[in-house]
Amino acid sequence: MSNSSSFNEFLLLAFSDTRELQLLHFSLFLGIYLASLLGNGLIITAIVCDHHLHTPMFFFLLNLSVLDLGTISTTVPKSMANSLWNTSAISYLGCAAQVFHFTFLLSTEYSVLTVMAYDRYVAICRPLHYGTLMNHRACVRMAAAAWASGFLNAFLHTTNTFSIPLCQGNTVDQFFCEIPQILKLLCAGSYFREAGALVVTICLVFGCFIFIVQSYVQIFTVVLRIPSEQGRHKAFSMCLPHLAVVSLFVGTVIFAYLKPPSISSPFLDLVLSVLYAVVPPAVNPLIYSMRNKELKNALKEFTPLVLLQQQ
Ligand SMILES: *[C@@H]1O[C@H](CO)[C@@H](O)[C@H](O)[C@H]1NC(C)=O
């Protein structure tokens, strides 16, 4: 560890050295950022203002929109500013703050998506108990647990990672600071200090994943048994937006973090990181609003499903 050094800044991946391409990157990210602000802002306003949308599903969706706004605000504005001012530097504290916020919001988002899977499971497989299982207190508790687990996870990893000396320079191969990239810079012998925390997180992520898959297996078993085509369609439209968001999120994150190092290239890493850090916050509002009307109708005509369950 003799050649370990401390830095007061990190260098982020710059998209280009050419002025035109830097401005193109700036405009592209600005467009995506504004789209995300607009989409999530509209969803938040709609849910807060419309009393018809004061149901657990929409409150969790509200959580998701807030998280999406936070996630994209952590990474994109800094990258845009760097392109505009032709720099790649981020201060040590700025980098730690990015790691903390990004990990916090991403793990909370994953927990909220898990809770939403449970919500869909209860709505479709246990409709008679929906009122009791998803009452206000239970929802607030689940939401609080999701935010607390995200906070603890981020706190654990950020303090752990930033207390280990760096040996491999201060160049981060990514347009924002995130844990896997910082881990690459750690001194070889000290990696095990973060390994324990990683194992805990991987177990939790895997547990939630099994839970989500299990919920959807049960949902599909029930839905496919609905005799009427219309009823099936309604039930599917209640859970397809959520399934789409989960697949986008889990698919890109798992691929980015668990892909074999042999297929790792800077370009692929960059595309993947844009796919899981920038695209979902901008696309999620679209996925949900596309089905919004149908969702409302599905909720209104929920009674046939309830009757079916009683038979
Ligand atoms: C998150 O969801 C819970 C439970 O429905 C709700 O009480 C809370 O207000 C939501 N919080 C945010 C920030 O959206």
Side-chain angles (χ1 to χ4, degrees):
M1 272 183 220
S2 54
N3 59 351
S4 76
S5 26
S6 59
F7 302 96
N8 51 21
E9 64 174 25
F10 287 92
L11 298 177
L12 295 175
L13 184 76
F15 278 77
S16 171
D17 301 328
T18 330
R19 197 61 195 144
E20 287 77 24
L21 288 179
Q22 281 175 343
L23 291 177
L24 178 68
H25 161 238
F26 175 82
S27 331
L28 267 178
F29 265 31
L30 181 66
I32 296 178
Y33 189 55
L34 290 180
S36 175
L37 286 189
L38 183 73
N40 287 299
L42 281 176
I43 286 200
I44 292 171
T45 318
I47 296 177
V48 169
C49 296
D50 188 345
H51 285 277
H52 297 298
L53 302 185
H54 288 186
T55 63
M57 189 184 81
F58 284 101
F59 276 125
F60 291 130
L61 191 56
L62 182 67
N63 280 234
L64 217 57
S65 278
V66 171
L67 288 165
D68 277 342
L69 276 184
T71 312
I72 200 163
S73 302
T74 308
T75 54
V76 166
K78 177 63 186 161
S79 177
M80 278 161 50
N82 276 3
S83 267
L84 197 58
W85 286 305
N86 190 17
T87 165
S88 60
I90 182 169
S91 69
Y92 187 88
L93 265 183
C95 185
Q98 258 192 353
V99 165
F100 177 78
H101 282 128
F102 190 71
T103 315
F104 170 45
L105 297 166
L106 214 66
S107 29
T108 307
E109 179 149 351
Y110 187 60
S111 309
V112 170
L113 285 173
T114 309
V115 173
M116 286 174 91
Y118 177 68
D119 172 72
R120 295 299 78 207
Y121 161 77
V122 176
I124 291 176
C125 303
R126 302 259 178 284
L128 291 177
H129 301 117
Y130 191 77
T132 44
L133 286 176
M134 299 301 290
N135 64 31
H136 182 66
R137 265 181 61 183
C139 290
V140 170
R141 267 197 208 140
M142 285 190 280
W147 287 81
S149 70
F151 182 87
L152 280 180
N153 189 33
F155 184 78
L156 188 70
H157 284 291
T158 312
T159 48
N160 229 345
T161 308
F162 282 88
S163 62
I164 304 174
L166 306 174
C167 287
Q168 327 279 337
N170 63 344
T171 309
V172 179
D173 276 335
Q174 186 64 277
F175 69 94
F176 61 96
C177 286
E178 60 168 354
I179 286 174
Q181 301 298 331
I182 307 290
L183 287 183
K184 284 187 191 165
L185 308 176
L186 299 184
C187 300
S190 48
Y191 191 84
F192 71 93
R193 278 172 58 182
E194 174 61 10
L198 272 180
V199 168
V200 173
T201 303
I202 289 172
C203 288
L204 282 176
V205 167
F206 199 66
C208 288
F209 183 69
I210 300 281
F211 183 85
I212 294 175
V213 170
Q214 176 73 15
S215 302
Y216 271 97
V217 168
Q218 306 215 30
I219 287 174
F220 284 130
T221 325
V222 168
V223 170
L224 292 175
R225 272 196 308 230
I226 297 176
S228 85
E229 172 98 22
Q230 215 189 1
R232 268 203 304 274
H233 183 76
K234 292 247 157 73
F236 269 131
S237 65
M238 284 173 70
C239 57
L240 282 187
H242 176 256
L243 192 60
V245 171
V246 170
S247 313
L248 181 67
F249 184 83
V250 174
T252 48
V253 170
I254 286 188
F255 189 66
Y257 286 122
L258 297 185
K259 71 179 160 21
S262 52
I263 59 165
S264 170
S265 78
F267 179 71
L268 183 67
D269 286 353
L270 185 69
V271 171
L272 278 175
S273 66
V274 170
L275 272 184
Y276 71 78
V278 179
V279 171
V283 172
N284 286 352
L286 218 65
I287 298 180
Y288 276 105
S289 57
M290 247 170 13
R291 292 271 178 170
N292 203 344
K293 250 203 175 81
E294 280 189 270
L295 272 175
K296 272 197 252 177
N297 289 341
L299 283 172
K300 264 186 226 144
E301 295 182 43
F302 197 45
T303 0
L305 258 179
V306 175
L307 292 177
L308 237 154
Q309 284 286 307
Q310 278 175 320
Q311 286 170 3

